[in-house]
Amino acid sequence: MSGPFEPNSVRIGNQQREEAIRALNDHFAAGRIEIGEYEQRVAYASAAQTVAELGSLFADLPQPHPTFLVVPPPPQYQAPPPPFGAPPPGYGPPPPGYGTGGYATGGYATGGFQPGFAPYGIDPLTGMALSDKSKVVAGILQLFLGGFGIGRFYTGHTGMAVAQLLTCGGCGIWALVDGIILLVNGGTDAQGRRLRD
């Protein structure tokens, strides 16, 4: 063999010939080639010896082509991953004034909690400061004066308190149930902080 090796001069076998004939069947069924031309191309495919000879049968036809004729695209360059601990591409240093992972200092979301300032303790479930209101006091006020909404005025829920005042505590039933719930489960004050024990 003289000269450089060319991939199109690779010899083929029966499997490649059958695959080429199946692709020609698809083109014939789609009406791209007529019966006479189809017969000629099938005969040529049956006698073909190299990839180049089969490739010439599909030079003027769109897909489908036999899979061994389809040239894979060249590999795409991919940038190496950033070193461990480095920010991903597109992320730079945080803008000036941006927090560095500390806690917020007050506001609605934290219930006014400031680190180092929790005179009545911290709720172990939420990590927020406990309310200055007591669930026992709120429950007793609601049981005995719930018809006037006093327990809910105490916790700061004025809307609910006014509704209880206007309905006489839901004829006493609402006030009784609300008082029992406050005593057993506690609840929250108007700022969303849990009532302390």
Side-chain angles (χ1 to χ4, degrees), residues 147 162-172 174:
V162 169
Q164 288 179 353
L165 178 64
L166 294 177
T167 61
C168 293
C171 296
W174 182 10

Side-chain angles (χ1 to χ4, degrees), residues 30-89:
R32 294 189 186 100
I33 52 178
E34 296 179 5
I35 185 74
E37 185 181 0
Y38 168 74
E39 290 173 351
Q40 286 177 348
R41 289 189 189 215
V42 168
Y44 190 75
S46 299
Q49 296 296 317
T50 63
V51 172
E53 290 173 358
L54 282 182
S56 65
L57 295 174
F58 296 93
D60 61 339
L61 293 173
Q63 293 290 336
H65 292 180
T67 56
F68 63 90
L69 290 179
V70 178
V71 178
Q76 298 292 326
Y77 172 76
Q78 294 181 354
F84 183 74

Side-chain angles (χ1 to χ4, degrees), residues 27-176:
H27 289 294
F28 177 67
R32 294 189 186 100
I33 52 178
E34 296 179 5
I35 185 74
E37 185 181 0
Y38 168 74
E39 290 173 351
Q40 286 177 348
R41 289 189 189 215
V42 168
Y44 190 75
S46 299
Q49 296 296 317
T50 63
V51 172
E53 290 173 358
L54 282 182
S56 65
L57 295 174
F58 296 93
D60 61 339
L61 293 173
Q63 293 290 336
H65 292 180
T67 56
F68 63 90
L69 290 179
V70 178
V71 178
Q76 298 292 326
Y77 172 76
Q78 294 181 354
F84 183 74
Y91 290 91
Y98 186 75
T100 57
Y103 292 99
T105 57
Y108 179 76
T110 60
F113 173 63
Q114 296 178 0
F117 182 72
Y120 298 101
I122 297 175
D123 181 17
L125 297 176
T126 62
M128 293 175 34
L130 290 174
S131 174
D132 58 336
K133 311 290 185 196
S134 168
K135 73 175 187 179
V136 175
V137 173
I140 291 174
L141 286 173
Q142 194 61 20
L143 283 176
F144 293 106
L145 299 171
F148 303 107
I150 300 299
R152 287 303 176 173
F153 276 120
Y154 172 73
T155 61
H157 297 103
T158 55
M160 188 182 299
V162 169
Q164 288 179 353
L165 178 64
L166 294 177
T167 61
C168 293
C171 296
I173 297 172
W174 182 10
L176 177 68

